[in-house]
Amino acid sequence: MATVEELKLRVRELENELIKCKQKQSAVEDAHSLALNRPKIEKMSAEVVDSNPYSRLMALKRMGIVDDYEKIRTFSVAVVGVGGVGSVTAEMLTRCGIGKLLLFDYDKVELANMNRLFFQPHQAGLSKVEAAEHTLRNINPDVAFEIHNYNITTMENFTHFMDRISHGGMEEGKPVDLVLSCVDNFEARMAINTACNELGQTWMESGVSENAVSGHIQLIIPGETACFACAPPLVVAANIDEKTLKREGVCAASLPTTMGVVAGLLVQNVLKYLLKFGTVSYYLGYNAMQDFFPSMTMKANPQCNDRHCRTQQGEYKKKEAERPKVEIVQEEEEVVHEDNDWEIELVAEETDAELEAASGTVPDLPEGITVAYTIPAQDNTSGETVEETEQSLEDLMAQMKKL
Amino acid sequence: MATVEELKLRVRELENELIKCKQKQSAVEDAHSLALNRPKIEKMSAEVVDSNPYSRLMALKRMGIVDDYEKIRTFSVAVVGVGGVGSVTAEMLTRCGIGKLLLFDYDKVELANMNRLFFQPHQAGLSKVEAAEHTLRNINPDVAFEIHNYNITTMENFTHFMDRISHGGMEEGKPVDLVLSCVDNFEARMAINTACNELGQTWMESGVSENAVSGHIQLIIPGETACFACAPPLVVAANIDEKTLKREGVCAASLPTTMGVVAGLLVQNVLKYLLKFGTVSYYLGYNAMQDFFPSMTMKANPQCNDRHCRTQQGEYKKKEAERPKVEIVQEEEEVVHEDNDWEIELVAEETDAELEAASGTVPDLPEGITVAYTIPAQDNTSGETVEETEQSLEDLMAQMKKL
C-alpha cells in the first residue's frame, strides 16, 4: 500500500503533467483561434498601414481606376459551382471585400481536385460549399456567406434556387446583383439560363474545355445579349458532367493555370460591371495553346426556344425605343484578329435532345471561332446537326446563307 | 493534513483529467497531422479515382495535349518574389507536381496582402517563404522545396543566389531549369537579369502595373531574345519598391484578378516551355480595362549594356551559324491586332541612373504598346530620356530612323 509521501509525490507529478498538457493544448487552440479571427471592419479605409486589408484596393480610387470602391460592400453575388473556376472566383470576390456571396454546389472535395487552386488535401470528403465557406470566412470575415449544398437542376432545388436568386440580395428580399455560372455540365447551365431569363437576372457564364487548354467567359443580359439557349456554346467543349465521365473510367483534363486565368477574367469582368470601370466584355475566349483571346458580342436570337428570353427581348426593345434619341449609343470595339493559324476544336457530345434545346442561329463569329453544332431551323422541332468540328467559318456562313 | 483517502481521490481525479486533456490534445494533433500528411506518391498515375491527385493532369496525355506529363517531376524552378504573382505561381506549379521549387523573398506576410490570393490572415507576421513552404508542402508533399529568406540584391546574397540558380537543380549541382521573376521592383529584376545573363540561364519575367489593371509576362533566353537591359520595360509601370511607397504613405493598387491572370499566363507559359506543347509566348501583355492581350517578340540588342548579354549573343550567333541549313526554322506566328483604340499608360519613375542602366534600342513594338522611356544612344553614357508616355509608336519609330 502507498504511503502518504508516495501519494503526495504522485499528486505533484500529475499536477505538473496536467499543467504542461493544458499549456500545450491552449497554445494549439490559440494558434487556431488566431487563425480564425481578425475583427470585422466597419468601414473600408484607404490608410496605408500593414494591418489594413483594403489599402491596396482603396488605392484604385487614387489611381483613377474606380470612382467608389467602397460600393463593393453593397453587392450580393451568387456563384453556382464551386469547383476549379468557382472556388477561385469566390476567393477573389471575398478578398475584394464583396458584400455577400451565395454559393451553390452539391459535390464533395476529392484529392482528385488538388490539381486546381483553392481546396486543400485535409478538406477531402467535406462538401465543397462548407469547406469553401470555412476558408473564405477565415480570409475575410467582413463578407456575408450563404451556402446551399444541393444540385440546382432537380425540380425542388431549382425552385429554391430561383427563390434565393430573387431574394438573396444584400437586403433580404431584394434580388442578387449578379449570378455567376461556374458549373461543368450542360444541364446546370441550362437551369441557370432558364432561371435568369424568367427573372430578368443578369449573369455571367464561364467554361473550360475538356482538354484543359481553352476557356471563355460570357455576359448575358436577358433580352439584350444572346442567352445560353439563343446560340450554341462556343468554347465550352464537351458538356458531360464530371461524374458521368468518372463512371466510364474517363476523365476530363484540367489545369490550375487555365482555371485560374478564366476565374481571373471572370471576376475582373464582374468588378468592371459592378464598379463601372473599363470595358465590360460580352464574350472573351482564352486559347492557351496560342495565347489567343477572341472577343465578340452576340445579340439575342428572336427565334430563341426559351419563351422568357423572347419576352425579355420584347421588353428590351420597348425600353430601347423609349430612350431619348440624343443619347449616344456606345458601340463595342471589336478586336479583329488577323491571325488565323490556330484552331479551337470542339467535340459535340450532347444527346439529340440537348442539341435541340440549345439550338439557335449561328452568331456573328470572329475568324477562328467555330461552333460545335448548328440548328438554324425555322421549325424548332427539327434541325441539322453539324458534328464535323473542323468545318470552317466560311462553310458555316455559306450554309447560313443558303437557309 | 490530507488523509490517505483524500490523496487517493485527488490522484484519481488528476489521472482522469490528464487522460481527458491528452485525448483532446491528440484529437487536435490528429486533425493537424491529417491535414499535413497525404503519403508521398512514388509514380504519377493516370488512374481515374477520387483519391488520385494527378488524374486530371495525366489526362492531358490522353487528350493529346502533352506527350509525357510525368516529365514535370524532373524539373526544378526558382521563383523570385513570393508576393501576389509569385505565391500563386508557386501554388500552381506545386499542384501541377513540379519536381522542385526554390523560393526567394525577404518580406513578411501582412494583412495588407490579403487582397491577393494565397496568404491567409493567420500567417501575418511570418516570412513569406516560410508561410508559403508550409502551405505548399501541405498541398503537395511530392514537391521538394528550398527556401531563402533574403534580399537577392545585396552583394553577399546575390552570390548565394547565383550559386543556387546554378546548382539547385533536381540533381544537386546541376542548374535549375527555369528562373521566374515575380518581383515588384527594378533592382531585383536587374539582379535576376545580371545573374541569368552571366549563367546563360533561361528565365521568365512578370509584372503588374501600379494601377493594378495591366500586366505582362516575358520569356528571356540569353543571347537570343532581348534581356531586361536590352530594352526598356514595357507594361511594367513604376519601378518603385513597395516598401518605399509605404514609407511615403502612398501605396500601389493591386487586384487578385490581375495578379491571378498574370500568374496563370506565366505558369501556362512555363508548362508549355517545359513540357513542349502549344506555342511558348515571348511577350504577352494583359490590359484589363479593354481585355486586350498584345503579344510580340523582341530580339537581343547588340548594343546592350550588359557585357554577358553581348557574350551570349555571340555564342548564340555561332551556334545558329553551325546549324545544318536543311533544318526548317519555325517562324513565330505574330498576332496582328487591328484595334488601336486603347492605350497602355506607363509612368516612368526611375532615377536617371536606372534609366541609363535599362537603356537600349526600341524594340519592334506592335501598335498600341508604348515604352516608358527610350535611350537609343551610340554612346552608352549619355542619352535622351523620353518622359512623355503618350508618345505614339510612329513618333518613336521616326526617332529611331533618324539615328
Side-chain angles (χ1 to χ4, degrees):
Chain A
M1 195 178 152
T3 66
V4 169
E5 278 313 302
E6 278 168 349
L7 283 166
K8 276 186 179 169
L9 195 69
R10 179 80 188 121
V11 165
R12 226 172 299 135
E13 272 172 13
L14 282 167
E15 278 172 347
N16 283 336
E17 224 177 309
L18 192 61
I19 286 165
K20 267 191 234 157
C21 181
K22 284 194 170 162
Q23 272 172 348
K24 195 166 169 190
Q25 191 181 301
S26 92
V28 172
E29 281 173 346
D30 269 7
H32 192 62
S33 87
L34 245 170
L36 288 176
N37 300 312
R38 80 146 161 80
K40 285 199 186 195
I41 291 170
E42 265 315 303
K43 199 176 167 332
M44 279 188 176
S45 146
E47 199 193 350
V48 183
V49 286
D50 288 345
S51 57
N52 179 5
Y54 298 118
S55 60
R56 302 289 200 276
L57 296 164
M58 293 292 277
L60 288 164
K61 297 206 289 183
R62 202 176 37 246
M63 295 279 166
I65 304 295
V66 180
D67 283 340
D68 183 6
Y69 191 84
E70 294 97 315
K71 205 154 188 275
I72 190 108
R73 298 187 85 161
T74 67
F75 298 115
S76 172
V77 174
V79 178
V80 190
V82 188
V85 173
S87 62
V88 181
T89 293
E91 180 174 353
M92 286 175 173
L93 288 169
T94 298
R95 293 187 183 263
C96 283
I98 195 83
K100 181 176 173 183
L101 277 183
L102 293 88
L103 307 178
F104 297 85
D105 203 304
Y106 64 95
D107 223 349
K108 280 194 161 56
V109 180
E110 314 279 8
L111 281 184
N113 306 139
M114 293 308 131
N115 69 320
R116 302 154 224 181
L117 297 180
F118 193 74
F119 290 116
Q120 301 212 357
H122 71 271
Q123 296 174 314
L126 298 177
S127 86
K128 284 185 178 172
V129 289
E130 278 175 279
E133 187 194 7
H134 183 262
T135 304
L136 296 174
R137 210 182 269 286
N138 207 339
I139 289 171
N140 191 347
D142 298 331
V143 178
F145 294 95
E146 178 182 317
I147 60 171
H148 299 287
N149 187 17
Y150 60 57
N151 181 347
I152 63 159
T153 65
T154 70
M155 187 78 86
E156 196 187 341
N157 294 335
F158 181 73
T159 309
H160 190 262
F161 171 65
M162 288 265 291
D163 182 69
R164 294 317 300 151
I165 294 308
S166 44
H167 297 98
M170 271 309 281
E171 190 188 324
E172 178 60 28
K174 294 269 172 75
V176 301
D177 296 284
L178 205 54
V179 174
L180 304 179
S181 162
C182 303
V183 298
D184 64 355
N185 66 86
F186 184 85
E187 287 75 18
R189 279 192 179 87
M190 279 305 267
I192 298 167
N193 191 61
T194 304
C196 292
N197 274 338
E198 188 170 340
L199 300 168
Q201 171 67 57
T202 296
W203 62 293
M204 289 187 198
E205 222 288 285
S206 71
V208 171
S209 69
E210 232 194 359
N211 65 6
V213 288
S214 66
H216 76 279
I217 62 162
Q218 186 175 349
L219 167 65
I220 300 171
I221 307 173
E224 189 179 337
T225 67
C227 83
F228 192 66
C230 278
L234 301 172
V235 187
V236 193
N239 294 319
I240 297 180
D241 183 301
E242 286 209 345
K243 292 261 179 223
T244 318
L245 287 166
K246 272 192 276 185
R247 245 176 284 136
E248 291 162 15
V250 186
C251 89
S254 59
L255 280 166
T257 46
T258 308
M259 288 185 154
V261 168
V262 169
L265 298 176
L266 177 67
V267 179
Q268 199 81 284
N269 218 36
V270 170
L271 296 176
K272 291 197 283 182
Y273 174 82
L274 295 176
L275 300 174
K276 302 190 194 315
F277 67 95
T279 305
V280 178
S281 280
Y282 283 94
Y283 180 96
L284 178 61
Y286 168 42
N287 173 328
M289 296 296 269
Q290 307 293 331
D291 281 335
F292 184 76
F293 302 81
S295 82
M296 60 181 295
T297 60
M298 287 191 284
K299 290 223 171 76
N301 173 9
Q303 272 96 48
C304 180
N305 278 341
D306 188 317
R307 74 181 167 91
H308 290 295
C309 176
R310 297 194 306 270
T311 310
Q312 298 286 354
Q313 289 181 46
E315 276 168 36
Y316 175 69
K317 266 189 199 146
K318 223 163 48 186
K319 240 191 287 172
E320 281 295 288
E322 283 164 6
R323 250 198 215 182
K325 292 274 186 273
V326 281
E327 204 177 312
I328 297 150
V329 179
Q330 281 202 315
E331 286 278 325
E332 263 310 292
E333 295 291 334
E334 253 184 77
V335 181
V336 180
H337 298 273
E338 295 263 294
D339 184 24
N340 193 25
D341 203 68
W342 52 273
E343 205 171 275
I344 301 172
E345 279 191 59
L346 295 172
V347 186
E349 297 192 60
E350 298 79 17
T351 64
D352 284 351
E354 282 170 346
L355 280 171
E356 275 184 32
S359 68
T361 52
V362 177
D364 191 14
L365 298 174
E367 280 202 67
I369 297 189
T370 54
V371 293
Y373 51 83
T374 166
I375 321 177
Q378 299 266 6
D379 173 2
N380 279 331
T381 58
S382 78
E384 219 181 312
T385 61
V386 181
E387 293 194 315
E388 185 61 66
T389 63
E390 290 178 23
Q391 200 181 21
S392 75
L393 180 70
E394 283 72 23
D395 291 345
L396 284 168
M397 296 308 284
Q399 218 175 303
M400 278 295 295
K401 276 173 196 151
K402 267 189 250 158
L403 291 166
Chain B
M1 193 178 153
T3 64
V4 170
E5 278 315 301
E6 277 168 350
L7 282 167
K8 277 187 177 170
L9 196 69
R10 179 81 186 120
V11 165
R12 226 172 299 135
E13 273 172 12
L14 282 167
E15 277 172 348
N16 282 338
E17 225 178 309
L18 192 60
I19 285 165
K20 268 191 232 156
C21 182
K22 284 196 170 162
Q23 272 172 348
K24 195 166 169 190
Q25 191 182 302
S26 92
V28 172
E29 281 174 347
D30 268 9
H32 192 62
S33 87
L34 243 170
L36 286 176
N37 299 313
R38 77 148 163 78
K40 286 199 187 195
I41 291 171
E42 265 314 303
K43 199 176 165 334
M44 279 190 178
S45 146
E47 199 193 350
V48 183
V49 286
D50 288 345
S51 57
N52 179 6
Y54 297 118
S55 60
R56 302 288 200 275
L57 296 164
M58 293 293 277
L60 288 164
K61 297 206 288 184
R62 202 176 35 246
M63 296 278 166
I65 304 295
V66 180
D67 282 340
D68 183 7
Y69 191 83
E70 295 98 315
K71 205 154 189 276
I72 191 106
R73 299 187 82 161
T74 65
F75 298 115
S76 174
V77 174
V79 178
V80 191
V82 188
V85 173
S87 62
V88 181
T89 293
E91 179 174 352
M92 286 176 173
L93 288 169
T94 297
R95 291 187 184 262
C96 283
I98 194 83
K100 181 176 174 183
L101 277 183
L102 294 87
L103 306 178
F104 298 84
D105 204 304
Y106 63 96
D107 223 349
K108 281 193 160 56
V109 180
E110 313 280 8
L111 280 184
N113 305 139
M114 292 309 131
N115 68 320
R116 303 153 225 181
L117 297 179
F118 193 75
F119 290 116
Q120 302 212 356
H122 72 270
Q123 295 173 315
L126 298 176
S127 86
K128 284 186 178 173
V129 290
E130 277 174 280
E133 187 194 7
H134 183 262
T135 304
L136 296 174
R137 211 182 269 285
N138 206 339
I139 290 170
N140 192 346
D142 298 332
V143 178
F145 294 94
E146 179 181 317
I147 60 171
H148 300 287
N149 188 18
Y150 60 58
N151 181 348
I152 64 159
T153 65
T154 70
M155 186 78 88
E156 197 188 339
N157 292 336
F158 182 73
T159 309
H160 191 261
F161 170 66
M162 289 264 291
D163 181 68
R164 293 317 300 151
I165 294 307
S166 43
H167 297 99
M170 271 307 283
E171 191 188 325
E172 177 61 29
K174 294 271 172 74
V176 300
D177 296 284
L178 206 54
V179 174
L180 304 180
S181 162
C182 303
V183 298
D184 64 356
N185 66 85
F186 184 85
E187 287 75 18
R189 281 193 178 86
M190 280 305 268
I192 298 167
N193 191 60
T194 305
C196 291
N197 274 337
E198 188 169 340
L199 300 169
Q201 172 66 57
T202 296
W203 62 293
M204 289 188 199
E205 222 286 285
S206 72
V208 171
S209 68
E210 233 193 358
N211 65 7
V213 288
S214 65
H216 76 280
I217 63 163
Q218 186 175 349
L219 167 65
I220 300 170
I221 307 172
E224 188 179 337
T225 67
C227 82
F228 192 66
C230 277
L234 301 173
V235 188
V236 194
N239 295 319
I240 297 179
D241 184 300
E242 286 209 345
K243 292 261 181 224
T244 317
L245 287 166
K246 273 191 277 184
R247 245 176 284 136
E248 292 162 15
V250 186
C251 89
S254 59
L255 281 166
T257 45
T258 308
M259 288 185 154
V261 169
V262 169
L265 297 176
L266 177 66
V267 179
Q268 199 83 282
N269 219 36
V270 170
L271 295 176
K272 291 196 282 183
Y273 173 83
L274 294 176
L275 299 174
K276 302 191 195 316
F277 67 96
T279 305
V280 178
S281 280
Y282 282 94
Y283 180 96
L284 178 62
Y286 167 43
N287 172 328
M289 296 296 267
Q290 306 293 331
D291 282 334
F292 184 74
F293 302 81
S295 81
M296 59 181 297
T297 60
M298 287 191 284
K299 291 223 172 74
N301 173 10
Q303 272 95 48
C304 181
N305 278 340
D306 187 318
R307 71 180 168 91
H308 290 293
C309 175
R310 298 194 306 271
T311 310
Q312 298 286 353
Q313 289 181 47
E315 275 168 36
Y316 174 69
K317 267 190 198 146
K318 221 165 45 186
K319 241 189 289 171
E320 281 295 290
E322 282 164 7
R323 251 198 214 183
K325 290 277 187 270
V326 280
E327 204 178 312
I328 297 150
V329 179
Q330 281 203 315
E331 285 279 324
E332 262 311 291
E333 295 291 335
E334 254 185 77
V335 180
V336 180
H337 299 272
E338 296 261 295
D339 184 24
N340 194 25
D341 202 69
W342 54 272
E343 206 171 274
I344 300 173
E345 278 190 60
L346 293 171
V347 186
E349 296 192 60
E350 296 80 17
T351 64
D352 284 351
E354 283 170 347
L355 280 171
E356 275 185 32
S359 67
T361 51
V362 178
D364 191 14
L365 298 174
E367 281 201 67
I369 296 189
T370 54
V371 293
Y373 51 83
T374 166
I375 320 176
Q378 299 267 3
D379 172 2
N380 278 333
T381 58
S382 77
E384 219 182 313
T385 60
V386 181
E387 293 193 315
E388 185 61 66
T389 62
E390 291 179 23
Q391 201 182 20
S392 74
L393 180 70
E394 282 74 21
D395 292 344
L396 285 169
M397 294 309 283
Q399 218 174 303
M400 278 295 296
K401 275 173 198 153
K402 269 188 249 159
L403 291 166

